[in-house]
Amino acid sequence: MTFAHRHLLGIEPLQPQEITTILDLAETYVALNRQSDKHADVLAGLTQINMFFENSTRTQASFELAGKRLGADVMNMAMQASSIKKGETLIDTAMTLNAMHPDLLVVRHPHSGAVDLLAQKVNCAVLNAGDGRHEHPTQALLDALTIRRAKGRLHRLNIAICGDIAHSRVARSNILLLGKMENRIRLIGPPTLMPSGIAEFGVEVFDDMRAGLKDVDVVMMLRLQKERMDGGFIPSEREYYHRYGLDAEKLALAKPDAIVMHPGPMNRGVEIDGTLADDINRSVIQDQVEMGVAVRMAAMELLARNLATGAAV
Amino acid sequence: MSDLLFTNARLIDPEAGTDALGALLVRGGRIVAQGQEVGLSEEDVTVVDCGGKCLAPGIVDLGVKVCEPGERHKESYRSAGLAAAAGGVTTIVTRPDTNPTIDSPETLEFVTRRAQADAPVNVVPMAALTKARAGREMTEIGFLMDAGAVAFTDCDHVVADTKVLSRALSYARALGALVIGHPQEPGLSDGAAATSGKFASLRGLPSVTPMAERMGLDRDIALLEMTGARYHADQITTARALPALERAKANGLDITAGVGIHHLTLNEFDVADYRTFFKLKPPLRAEDDRQAVIEAVRSGLIDVICSMHTPQDEESKRLPFEEAASGAVGLETLLPAAMRLYHAGDLDLPTLFRAMSLNPAKRLGLSCGRLSEGAPADLVLFDPDAPFVLDRFTLRSKSKNTPFDGGRMQGRVLATYVGGAPVYRRD
């Protein structure tokens, strides 16, 4: 088992076998989480602080539960309401928290690279819970675990990622992870929502969703942020839904056993048909939430181990 | 003032385009002769044996920000002047993007007084083109010229209202004033922290297409055709803007262009893991653009190399990349960084000093920037080969935001003279 990192800041620095290490360990926690006694004590005595500079319900809850089930002392800080408003800089906030000797710091921030910056200034292990449009590594890991369990493998799959790729950290982390594991990736969306330089990413790009979905094994939908509508990226919700919303008719072009994923929260009727999202034969959206807790438990355990042994690089 | 005879010098003469051993005689603060036969029979002069090192006209750095008034903790005329002297810069041409903006004769007189009292090198000021650089009303261009302004610029604020800019250019033309523009389409570049492409996308940074520079330049060129104004583009950093510049010059418009040293020596990948000292405006470009711009300096299409010296304190750089301030200091590193281009075989020394000294002086109507007889003895003596590792805390600027921190440099200033008087000597 190898995982030689001090922080989990992104998928980019991870080796394929390290990804497998996290997923394998997460499998054991999936089993634990389904028992009535969900307690392990691998993080007992350690302090975990969740710092969310951006609103989050599900990710924060998932990290909190993961820490508590592993026996850590967990504290949540809603940074939007705190000293940031009083003009304190990110680094000052980090130094202040650092002085309280946390062991694990879970950080979400609206600016790309902010979590990297913070990680340079603290002594503990830092987990990136999403920074700007850069990375959201635990989301990609939980998606990978969901796919591996549903498809029996995590390689040589045709995977479509659909929607607002340009502004999505989930898309970036998934492109990196699924690419490292040797899958074929298709990106589907209007050109206004594609990042620049996309031709160099080693992916196929489709602006026609029907063509893009043909024979894929996995359909990964992304959330369309409301502010994109005002920004002139798309003409209207209804035209977006017509051309890029996932419904049963478009899904019929994918493989018959293709699974449907969404990182949540969903805009029903904007990027995904509500009935389809609830179809337990196709949608694995609830599994993704379940895998999220397990993957975060695994990631935190591995980082805590490295913290204890000093084995991290 | 004692008279000087520089002997055994490798004379870099950008006017003649030569790089040859010889001597140079200075009397009364001016160059009176240079060449191989000079000085053999001179008496009453102090002899400076250059030991075969390079002697070139001092650098005329077009577009330096000194943070007076407003942010003297970032850079004062004293600290900028010392940095300039140590960097072989004998004339700094200051930007008006201070707080408040240098947009009235009164403010201009204040900074001129400060500069004269504190800076050991020549300081020539620029003034804003529009009041508060807000792009609405033109400044008192006539009064400001009388007070000593050598050019008019809103710096990195693009005058977005084309009518305002066309009127300012027409008015400036009547006075013969030089207007310096920042070619950029602001609708596209607003909020950008990187150049669009794979790197910006991987880092998740808001980015601007390099096309925005060409669009800005195209617009400004069209206005020059209309108004006939004298115009200089502060920084041309992309390959796509070059054909437009070439056509404008071929059509006889009074246009010149510059580029910052950082865009000639660094590319977008240098940002790496969000290193904010590499955040510039415009952002660093792709390697292809860097190569194209070097070629344009070699051919003379781009006239001027400058440092775009922009001091920023630690607080404004120790932020997430998007929020961090743009700009880098460069007065002291301009020459060593330019030597990277020399050692890489990209540009020879006369070409470099044509772009750093001769051309900016000519464009601003200054008599310095050359080694010819009668020119002021503004000189830099440097060793183009001396290696060192840059430690940013050794810089004389109050702000230490250089992207070359820890970088291996080759090329060191040994001495700097302004009007024949030594203002810097390396121990």
Side-chain angles (χ1 to χ4, degrees):
Chain A
M1 236 184 342
T2 55
F3 186 80
H5 295 277
R6 177 161 162 205
H7 308 295
L8 180 63
L9 300 177
I11 298 297
E12 197 179 4
L14 299 186
Q15 302 294 322
Q17 65 268 32
E18 293 175 323
I19 292 167
T20 305
T21 297
I22 300 174
L23 299 184
D24 290 348
L25 183 59
E27 288 280 6
T28 67
Y29 286 120
V30 174
L32 178 78
N33 286 337
R34 287 180 178 179
Q35 295 170 13
S36 58
D37 178 6
K38 301 176 180 60
H39 255 279
D41 56 2
V42 296
L43 297 186
L46 300 186
T47 304
Q48 171 193 340
I49 300 181
N50 298 333
M51 285 171 84
F52 280 66
F53 293 89
E54 197 180 74
N55 277 334
S56 162
T57 311
R58 51 181 64 218
T59 306
Q60 186 173 331
S62 183
F63 268 109
E64 182 176 356
L65 207 51
K68 283 182 170 163
R69 284 188 181 162
L70 293 178
D73 296 312
V74 184
M75 182 170 82
N76 288 318
M77 296 187 65
M79 301 308 297
Q80 285 196 312
S82 80
S83 47
I84 289 294
K85 288 257 160 71
K86 298 176 196 161
E88 191 176 65
T89 68
L90 178 63
I91 289 179
D92 285 338
T93 307
M95 300 305 281
T96 303
L97 283 178
N98 193 47
M100 300 178 195
H101 299 291
D103 302 285
L104 295 157
L105 209 50
V106 178
V107 186
R108 169 171 286 190
H109 196 281
H111 290 310
S112 304
V115 183
D116 293 62
L117 176 68
L118 198 141
Q120 293 164 18
K121 307 289 172 187
V122 297
N123 301 321
C124 59
V126 176
L127 288 99
N128 182 358
D131 63 323
R133 19 174 134 160
H134 176 220
E135 283 230 44
H136 190 357
T138 56
Q139 178 71 43
L141 287 164
L142 74 87
D143 288 341
L145 185 60
T146 308
I147 294 170
R148 195 172 82 168
R149 288 171 65 96
K151 292 282 151 197
R153 66 177 197 273
L154 189 57
H155 56 91
R156 297 177 68 85
L157 294 166
N158 285 321
I159 300 171
I161 305 176
C162 314
D164 182 2
I165 315 284
H167 302 94
S168 172
R169 54 193 173 216
V170 175
R172 274 177 190 61
S173 288
N174 266 313
I175 292 168
L176 290 168
L177 189 152
L178 296 169
K180 283 175 196 276
M181 306 312 278
E182 301 186 357
N183 296 282
R184 284 183 68 165
I185 302 168
R186 300 178 184 181
L187 304 182
I188 303 172
T192 47
L193 295 176
M194 284 291 163
S196 60
I198 195 70
E200 299 166 55
F201 274 70
V203 297
E204 293 172 88
V205 181
F206 292 85
D207 49 23
D208 177 352
M209 191 175 194
R210 288 166 207 274
L213 286 181
K214 196 156 185 337
D215 296 329
V216 297
D217 300 288
V218 176
V219 184
M220 221 180 242
M221 300 305 298
L222 297 171
R223 175 180 166 76
L224 184 76
Q225 309 276 352
K226 279 279 181 204
E227 55 265 33
R228 304 294 165 237
M229 253 80 81
D230 309 328
F233 291 90
I234 54 165
S236 70
E237 271 187 26
R238 61 181 191 178
E239 180 159 328
Y240 184 81
Y241 181 66
H242 178 69
R243 290 178 55 80
Y244 298 104
L246 186 67
D247 54 22
E249 187 218 326
K250 293 196 191 89
L251 184 61
L253 294 159
K255 283 193 183 154
D257 61 347
I259 55 169
V260 174
M261 306 176 74
H262 193 297
M266 282 182 279
N267 294 310
R268 290 169 187 264
V270 179
E271 70 257 355
I272 190 164
D273 174 63
T275 319
L276 188 57
D278 298 332
D279 179 355
I280 53 164
N281 295 315
R282 307 306 295 272
S283 162
V284 293
I285 295 170
Q286 294 310 312
D287 303 79
Q288 288 175 272
V289 179
E290 183 187 356
M291 295 310 125
V293 180
V295 153
R296 288 172 179 126
M297 290 167 84
M300 288 198 287
E301 185 191 339
L302 289 167
L303 291 176
R305 268 192 224 163
N306 288 348
L307 214 53
T309 60
V313 287
Chain B
M1 196 180 303
S2 78
D3 296 336
L4 296 167
L5 177 65
F6 294 91
T7 62
N8 195 20
R10 192 173 150 190
L11 297 173
I12 311 298
D13 185 340
E15 245 177 340
T18 54
D19 173 351
L21 275 179
L24 183 136
L25 180 64
V26 172
R27 284 199 189 275
R30 293 196 170 268
I31 297 166
V32 293
Q34 61 128 321
Q36 277 174 305
E37 288 82 36
V38 165
L40 298 172
S41 58
E42 295 297 329
E43 291 170 11
D44 322 322
V45 291
T46 309
V47 174
V48 181
D49 183 350
C50 298
K53 304 303 184 205
C54 296
L55 188 67
I59 296 168
V60 179
D61 196 357
L62 177 50
V64 171
K65 181 164 180 186
V66 179
C67 306
E68 289 189 59
E71 296 172 304
R72 211 155 123 188
H73 67 286
K74 290 187 179 178
E75 194 81 291
S76 66
Y77 277 97
R78 181 84 193 145
S79 60
L82 291 173
V89 174
T90 49
T91 300
I92 57 182
V93 185
T94 56
R95 302 207 309 251
D97 53 342
T98 47
N99 183 19
T101 306
I102 301 170
D103 60 0
S104 69
E106 290 77 12
T107 320
L108 188 70
E109 276 159 21
F110 165 79
V111 300
T112 307
R113 239 186 356 261
R114 294 280 310 125
Q116 279 167 354
D118 277 4
V121 301
N122 301 315
V123 177
V124 294
M126 298 191 285
L129 183 65
T130 68
K131 288 173 187 163
R133 299 194 298 135
R136 284 192 291 274
E137 295 170 75
M138 73 176 94
T139 51
E140 294 169 315
I141 295 174
F143 280 150
L144 285 160
M145 285 179 84
D146 293 345
V150 294
F152 295 82
T153 179
D154 280 0
C155 303
D156 61 347
H157 286 189
V158 178
V159 181
D161 187 327
T162 305
K163 189 166 261 177
V164 171
L165 183 58
S166 72
R167 284 177 183 155
L169 286 167
S170 299
Y171 193 86
R173 193 200 70 80
L175 295 166
L178 177 67
V179 173
I180 298 186
H182 180 69
Q184 199 67 225
E185 166 48 49
L188 290 174
S189 63
D190 187 37
T195 301
S196 57
K198 185 185 181 189
F199 181 78
S201 289
L202 270 177
R203 287 289 174 274
L205 293 172
S207 61
V208 57
T209 167
M211 194 65 90
E213 184 172 288
R214 182 182 126 190
M215 291 170 73
L217 185 65
D218 277 340
R219 180 197 70 156
D220 288 3
I221 287 171
L223 290 173
L224 295 186
E225 261 185 66
M226 266 170 63
T227 60
R230 298 177 63 215
Y231 178 92
H232 175 78
D234 65 348
Q235 301 182 76
I236 295 296
T237 60
T238 60
R240 278 182 174 148
L242 295 171
L245 179 62
E246 195 167 13
R247 273 197 307 277
K249 284 189 164 185
N251 290 342
L253 298 182
D254 192 353
I255 183 171
T256 50
V259 61
I261 189 66
H262 299 111
H263 287 90
L264 288 170
T265 50
L266 303 168
N267 69 25
E268 57 182 348
F269 297 127
D270 287 301
V271 169
D273 287 327
Y274 304 101
R275 297 196 286 174
T276 56
F277 281 9
F278 292 79
K279 184 177 179 185
L280 304 174
K281 202 171 177 181
L284 286 170
R285 305 301 195 181
E287 179 62 11
D288 289 350
D289 283 322
R290 188 183 79 91
Q291 293 290 349
V293 171
I294 290 172
E295 177 53 40
V297 173
R298 182 166 37 222
S299 72
L301 178 58
I302 288 181
D303 306 84
V304 171
I305 298 174
C306 58
S307 72
M308 282 317 272
H309 183 80
T310 304
Q312 298 290 1
D313 55 19
E314 302 287 305
E315 281 65 40
S316 52
K317 284 287 189 184
R318 284 177 53 180
L319 291 170
F321 199 84
E322 284 170 60
E323 290 183 308
S326 301
V329 292
L331 280 169
E332 229 173 311
T333 47
L334 173 55
L335 189 140
M339 288 306 112
R340 285 187 171 183
L341 298 167
Y342 166 66
H343 291 296
D346 289 329
L347 299 172
D348 61 21
L349 293 176
T351 305
L352 278 168
F353 281 87
R354 180 182 73 197
M356 294 195 294
S357 304
L358 178 64
N359 284 344
K362 273 164 71 175
R363 191 58 170 149
L364 297 169
L366 308 174
S367 57
C368 58
R370 57 205 92 187
L371 291 187
S372 49
E373 289 165 31
D378 294 351
L379 300 165
V380 53
L381 178 65
F382 66 97
D383 179 350
D385 301 313
F388 68 102
V389 175
L390 185 82
D391 171 0
R392 69 190 183 105
F393 293 104
T394 63
L395 295 179
R396 286 153 184 82
S397 282
K398 284 190 181 178
S399 297
K400 314 294 182 189
N401 55 309
T402 172
F404 297 117
D405 185 37
R408 290 162 190 276
M409 315 297 282
Q410 208 179 343
R412 266 207 133 139
V413 175
L414 303 172
T416 306
Y417 299 83
V418 173
V423 292
Y424 172 78
R425 192 168 287 144
R426 184 168 165 72
D427 304 319

